Amino acid sequence: MTTHQIQGSARRSAENNNHPEYDRLTGLLNREGFAALLQNRRPTPDKLSVVHLDFEHFGLINQKFGRETGDYILRNTALRLQRLLGDQHHYCRPAGDEFLILINASKKEDLLASAYAIQVALERPFQIGTQQISLSANIGIARCPFDSDNLELLPDLAECALRLAKSRQEPVAFFSRDFHTEMTRTLDVEQALKSAIQKNELEVFLQPKYCFKTRDIAGFEALLRWQDTLLGSVTPQEFVTIAEHSMLGQQLDFYVLRAVSELIRERKDLGLHTPPIAINITTGHFSDPELTGNIFAILDAAGVEPSDIVLEITEGVLMESDGQVAPNLRILRESGFAIAIDDFGTGYSALSYLKFIPATELKVDRSFVGDIESEQGKALISIIVNLAKTYNLAVTAEGIETEAQHALLQSLGCDYGQGYFLSKPLPAQCALHLVPNSYHSSQLG
């Protein structure tokens, strides 16, 4: 781009600042202006692409240096892009630190060359007074007609490609229909799950946990099942994972806790005892300072005691550096909750935390149980059982599917077992009907 072209571009940007279809900060097209450009563009034999880019951690720049510095970087980013690529392309700043470029190219090799050139240009430090600020950009690219022959859809597809680049921790990504389908599915499940929680459409199942010595039911694990009218049967692996990556994880925890507390209350009103029911608490929830207060409020409302509930946590929780995790666990244990470490052995973490965490039980992950008939698998479970006994922890084996596994686990000293060999998860009332009316908590010993 020549000096004359640069001056002309800067002059036009200044003239555009007050136009309703242009961004006041940079003089580039705004979101509405870019949409109008795509809508009004005549069909052309030329192939086109949309590049969507943003900076990593740009919000930290505004927080540390102030919004004026952030605005300076955005204005200079617009100039760098125009200087690099020239007037034959169209530029847009739709919001924040995001930029869109309509490029007259669609060959991957040409677009990759442009993308990497953009990154080099934007990685040059921005001079702010005596300080230099370096940033990294992520880029997503959608091509017409390869990804869509509708130009108006390209910005959304390029944004999806940008998400793909970030998820892969790669600087550049092209639109992927498989990833788009996955993202669409995730959004559909997340929106439907919000509605299902509000409408009480998730069903609690209970899987019995049996005592190896007495062969009696010693407790249950609460599991959710979901049959959506539009999505059909959605597996827990799918919707729980999606919930954990959004604010829905905490809502799911409380949903299950309320449902289980109501079940226990109903049985108490009938004079029936209920073995403790285990509830999984999502990983991120244990760092919430309000967690314990919310749990106590739910139990108090139902008239249920902490000893009626087992709270299951994963090793990931124990590795959290957040200072709130340990106090929350201590308060809950001192209040009478049993604490079980779920999926034990899968965290690849140091075992020293067992000395400091007030756990009462280790649950051996099903992957170890499935391998118990090998010498190595048997040895690993033996080590876990001995380790648990060292810390006075009960041991529950998960995922028992065969009689041989059951016999080996019992011989190694496991206290409790659950799995399809013993019982599959059942609707809550069906599972509770398996408990003898004479059940008493002393059976746990």
Side-chain angles (χ1 to χ4, degrees):
M1 197 172 185
T2 67
T3 302
H4 177 72
Q5 289 173 316
I6 293 171
Q7 290 172 343
S9 177
R11 183 172 61 254
R12 284 191 297 275
S13 293
E15 293 170 352
N16 290 337
N17 281 349
N18 293 318
H19 195 286
E21 291 189 339
Y22 287 84
D23 174 44
R24 293 177 62 85
L25 179 65
T26 63
L28 304 181
L29 288 166
N30 58 24
R31 188 184 301 276
E32 292 75 19
F34 197 70
L37 168 72
L38 298 179
Q39 186 177 18
N40 297 327
R41 191 172 180 97
R42 300 289 182 186
T44 170
D46 296 334
K47 294 180 173 62
L48 300 169
S49 300
V50 169
V51 171
H52 190 153
L53 68 91
D54 68 6
F55 290 109
E56 291 184 5
H57 312 304
F58 187 81
L60 296 177
I61 299 299
N62 286 332
Q63 292 178 22
K64 182 174 181 179
F65 298 100
R67 192 163 295 278
E68 287 186 4
T69 296
D71 289 349
Y72 172 84
I73 291 174
L74 294 174
R75 284 193 297 268
N76 276 270
T77 296
L79 288 174
R80 289 187 186 186
L81 291 173
Q82 291 170 299
R83 288 170 181 168
L84 175 68
L85 299 176
D87 276 348
Q88 68 269 34
H89 308 298
H90 298 274
Y91 305 86
C92 167
R93 177 180 170 251
D97 64 320
E98 299 176 51
F99 291 86
L100 295 170
I101 310 170
L102 181 63
I103 289 186
N104 297 312
S106 64
K107 290 184 178 180
K108 279 193 172 184
E109 54 268 30
D110 294 337
L111 291 165
L112 275 176
S114 295
Y116 289 128
I118 289 171
Q119 287 183 318
V120 170
L122 297 184
E123 286 174 357
R124 289 202 322 270
F126 293 88
Q127 189 72 39
I128 310 295
T130 60
Q131 189 159 3
Q132 292 186 333
I133 298 177
S134 298
L135 295 170
S136 297
N138 295 110
I139 295 176
I141 303 172
R143 303 181 297 154
C144 178
F146 303 103
D147 299 322
S148 174
D149 56 6
N150 184 346
L151 274 179
E152 295 175 60
L153 293 180
L154 284 194
D156 290 337
L157 303 188
E159 181 180 6
C160 180
L162 178 62
R163 289 176 178 267
L164 176 59
K166 292 181 177 182
S167 70
R168 291 177 174 174
Q169 297 184 324
E170 296 176 351
V172 181
F174 287 91
F175 174 76
S176 162
R177 196 155 301 282
D178 288 343
F179 185 74
H180 183 261
T181 300
E182 180 184 334
M183 292 295 295
T184 302
R185 170 70 179 185
T186 296
L187 181 60
D188 289 344
V189 171
E190 183 177 331
Q191 294 301 311
L193 184 57
K194 288 180 182 178
S195 176
I197 292 172
Q198 293 170 355
K199 296 178 181 178
N200 204 38
E201 293 176 345
L202 302 172
E203 186 177 0
V204 173
F205 275 48
L206 299 178
Q207 185 171 32
K209 179 176 76 173
Y210 286 87
C211 175
F212 274 106
K213 288 183 179 179
T214 67
R215 303 200 177 195
D216 293 325
I217 292 177
F220 294 96
E221 179 177 0
L223 304 165
L224 282 177
R225 296 293 183 266
W226 179 25
Q227 183 74 30
D228 184 74
T229 52
L230 293 177
L231 300 174
S233 178
V234 186
T235 67
Q237 289 82 359
E238 181 178 19
F239 71 79
V240 171
T241 300
I242 291 172
E244 287 182 336
H245 287 86
S246 68
M247 293 304 294
L248 294 177
Q250 297 186 8
Q251 294 184 42
L252 272 188
D253 290 345
F254 293 145
Y255 183 101
V256 178
L257 184 59
R258 288 191 187 95
V260 167
S261 297
E262 290 170 6
L263 286 171
I264 295 172
R265 177 72 266 165
E266 290 172 4
R267 287 179 60 84
K268 285 191 175 185
D269 290 343
L270 295 172
L272 300 174
H273 293 283
T274 305
I277 299 178
I279 297 170
N280 288 279
I281 302 295
T282 52
T283 301
H285 205 169
F286 264 97
S287 59
D288 181 3
E290 298 181 1
L291 172 66
T292 55
N294 289 329
I295 289 177
F296 294 143
I298 291 173
L299 265 62
D300 289 344
V304 171
E305 298 297 324
S307 57
D308 295 323
I309 303 291
V310 178
L311 298 176
E312 292 193 358
I313 60 176
T314 63
E315 286 183 281
V317 171
L318 305 178
M319 294 299 101
E320 287 282 341
S321 58
D322 190 290
Q324 192 61 45
V325 172
N328 277 346
L329 287 171
R330 185 180 65 254
I331 291 170
L332 292 167
R333 182 69 192 104
E334 290 174 352
S335 300
F337 288 95
I339 306 290
I341 302 175
D342 196 18
D343 301 333
F344 183 78
T346 61
Y348 305 104
S349 54
L351 299 177
S352 58
Y353 65 77
L354 291 176
K355 294 188 291 186
F356 309 106
I357 296 300
T360 56
E361 177 184 354
L362 293 186
K363 301 193 76 174
V364 182
D365 185 67
R366 64 182 61 249
S367 62
F368 292 106
V369 172
D371 194 38
I372 192 174
E373 293 182 66
S374 72
E375 286 301 318
Q376 185 181 44
K378 183 178 178 181
L380 281 172
I381 291 183
S382 178
I383 291 170
I384 292 174
V385 171
N386 290 330
L387 178 68
K389 301 305 180 185
T390 300
Y391 291 100
N392 297 315
L393 303 176
V395 180
T396 297
E398 297 183 287
I400 304 173
E401 296 185 354
T402 68
E403 184 175 357
Q405 291 172 355
H406 184 272
L408 284 168
L409 289 163
Q410 184 171 13
S411 70
L412 291 174
C414 285
D415 301 294
Y416 308 108
Q418 65 184 80
Y420 274 60
F421 173 71
L422 299 167
S423 174
K424 66 180 182 179
L426 300 168
Q429 292 297 345
C430 295
L432 291 170
H433 284 156
L434 298 175
V435 180
N437 290 344
S438 61
Y439 168 81
H440 191 272
S441 59
S442 61
Q443 287 178 245
L444 289 177

